[in-house]
Amino acid sequence: MASIVPAEKIDVIRRIEQLAVGAGLAAIVQTAIKLGIPDSFDDGSVTVDELAKSAQAEPGTLGRLMRALTVHGVFDEVEPGRYTHNDLSRYLREDAPIPIKYLVLWMGAAWTWEAWPRLTDAIRTGKAVIPDIYGKDFYSYLGAEGAAGMGDFMKAMTAITALSAAPIVDGFDLTGVGSVADIAGGQGRLLVELMERFPHVSGTLFDLETVVANADPKLLPGGALADRTTIVHGDLYDKVPVDVDLYILKNILDAPNQQSDRALLNIKESAKPGAKVVIIDALMDASVEELRVTTLVDLFLLLNVGGARHNTKEFEILFEKAGLKFLGIKPVPGTFPTQHLAEALVP
Ligand SMILES: C[S@@+](CC[C@H](N)C(=O)[O-])C[C@H]1O[C@@H](n2cnc3c(N)ncnc32)[C@H](O)[C@@H]1O
């Protein structure tokens, strides 16, 4: 008897199966990192027994994990039970050019496995689910988690910013700009790049207290850029007590709009006329390939802060609502996912 699904639709079923096991894909990569597999060898090949010894794992089950990983392109199996690194697995090492492994750990942090099943609630209510699960907003939850929660988050943000920092700085015209602030600038990776490239510029890093305490050592007392740096901690939704020529907001205005409105108004209150405000972010108007990730990050933002990724028009509206004069938006070549610089002037 013929299958109930016609032969030409088998690929459809296969695709649904692949979507259904998506959580497993994230889990195997996270587990490889947590077991230290990418860092446990470098050149040459290793057997599953050697890997099991260094990972303190049972060789049989570790072999099953390695099989799942190699099938999905992480490590190569060069003969049965013997593995080498490939390009992808090398990038999961601590010494990779960009520590992208922290993005894997962050996107798969323990709280995400509590939050994703509540996506149904978030879609129905339009609200974040973290306050319901943990009784506090996302950043308070992360702060309360201490080094473990905040640490992986900041390392993930810094890795992603490091990927794009040089091309972003290429996109800046700092004619007439003597002072720059990175508002909600994390550990200051972008600010460091900018201050190193433009030695005449002084920089301010503004973020939460626990975050700036762990800023890039170059910015902190004794660091190479310390004498040109001011570190300010605070809540950007309360006030931004910083007076500079250029304010940067990278990957922060994806919060709920009323919060983003507040942040821009707070900047406007402190800024002098003629100062510039630049939003740097990935956009929803992106290529299909980028949207495969961006649309999921958009929902991730919904789950954790109740926020969203924006499109060009929405950023323009945000500026205008805050009384800032929108100057334009441009993509930054060489960034991933493609970052855009949206610029406005304080009237
Ligand atoms: C998505 S990260 C982006 C970090 C950095 N701009 C980057 O692109 O790498 C958001 C940043 O906003 C900071 N942040 C969140 N809420 C804040 C608040 N209320 N006041 C100041 N900073 C805040 C976080 O600590 C974090 O560093």
Side-chain angles (χ1 to χ4, degrees):
M1 207 163 81
S3 163
I4 197 165
V5 176
E8 69 272 17
K9 295 292 182 211
I10 288 299
D11 275 352
V12 174
I13 302 297
R14 194 167 286 139
R15 185 71 197 115
I16 292 171
E17 281 181 341
Q18 285 167 356
L19 289 171
V21 296
L25 288 182
I28 58 173
V29 185
Q30 287 150 24
T31 303
I33 294 170
K34 286 187 194 156
L35 289 175
I37 309 243
D39 288 316
S40 68
F41 69 106
D42 192 352
D43 297 324
S45 62
V46 279
T47 64
V48 70
D49 286 333
E50 287 164 337
L51 285 178
K53 208 166 166 198
S54 70
Q56 296 175 308
E58 201 281 312
T61 42
L62 186 66
R64 290 162 62 188
L65 176 70
M66 293 306 292
R67 181 173 58 197
L69 287 162
T70 53
V71 161
H72 289 284
V74 189
F75 302 104
D76 288 334
E77 186 171 22
V78 286
E79 59 183 65
R82 183 174 281 281
Y83 305 93
T84 59
H85 267 295
N86 59 20
D87 282 349
L88 204 158
S89 62
R90 278 191 185 284
Y91 263 92
L92 299 177
R93 287 171 59 87
E94 183 74 32
D95 62 3
I98 303 275
I100 196 84
K101 75 175 215 185
Y102 289 102
L103 185 71
V104 178
L105 293 174
W106 155 242
M107 297 300 290
W111 66 267
T112 67
W113 296 87
E114 301 275 345
W116 279 117
R118 310 240 188 158
L119 183 60
T120 328
D121 300 339
I123 298 293
R124 288 208 170 108
T125 63
K127 295 204 171 95
V129 299
I130 290 294
D132 260 2
I133 303 175
Y134 296 107
K136 38 176 90 86
D137 72 72
F138 178 67
Y139 285 105
S140 307
Y141 162 71
L142 270 193
E145 277 278 276
M150 206 50 143
D152 279 353
F153 171 54
M154 288 323 305
K155 284 179 187 162
M157 292 305 113
T158 301
I160 282 295
T161 297
L163 199 58
S164 298
I168 287 174
V169 170
D170 288 344
F172 274 112
D173 173 8
L174 291 195
T175 317
V177 170
S179 52
V180 176
D182 196 352
I183 306 299
Q187 294 175 311
R189 179 66 186 78
L190 181 64
L191 193 62
V192 165
E193 185 84 24
L194 201 128
M195 291 172 74
E196 286 182 339
R197 197 84 72 80
F198 298 99
H200 71 281
V201 159
S202 63
T204 300
L205 180 67
F206 179 92
D207 206 295
L208 300 171
E209 186 169 9
T210 45
V211 175
V212 295
N214 293 298
D216 190 307
K218 287 183 184 170
L219 301 172
L220 292 173
L225 301 169
D227 56 353
R228 284 192 280 139
T229 305
T230 307
I231 304 270
V232 182
H233 66 79
D235 176 355
L236 88 155
Y237 305 123
D238 176 20
K239 61 175 183 290
V240 180
V242 177
D243 175 9
V244 288
D245 301 329
L246 174 68
Y247 297 80
I248 296 172
L249 292 142
K250 179 173 174 296
N251 276 324
I252 179 67
L253 294 192
D254 303 318
N257 277 346
Q258 59 276 27
Q259 280 177 243
S260 298
D261 292 345
R262 192 68 255 154
L264 287 175
L265 283 170
N266 288 342
I267 288 176
K268 191 177 156 222
E269 227 160 73
S270 300
K272 45 184 171 313
K276 278 191 179 162
V277 181
V278 172
I279 299 174
I280 306 173
D281 231 312
L283 290 184
M284 282 305 266
D285 17 21
S287 69
V288 172
E289 194 52 45
E290 283 195 358
L291 284 179
R292 283 188 213 287
V293 175
T294 305
T295 51
L296 296 177
V297 170
D298 174 61
L299 295 173
F300 190 72
L301 286 163
L302 169 64
L303 291 173
N304 57 32
V305 294
R309 280 271 188 252
H310 294 297
N311 60 31
T312 307
K313 188 70 200 159
E314 288 164 341
F315 275 136
E316 193 178 331
I317 292 169
L318 268 184
F319 276 141
E320 279 167 2
K321 269 173 74 188
L324 300 169
K325 186 175 171 350
F326 179 64
L327 297 177
I329 187 162
K330 60 176 184 187
V332 185
T335 50
F336 180 83
T338 306
Q339 302 290 306
H340 288 71
L341 298 189
E343 210 177 354
L345 194 70
V346 178

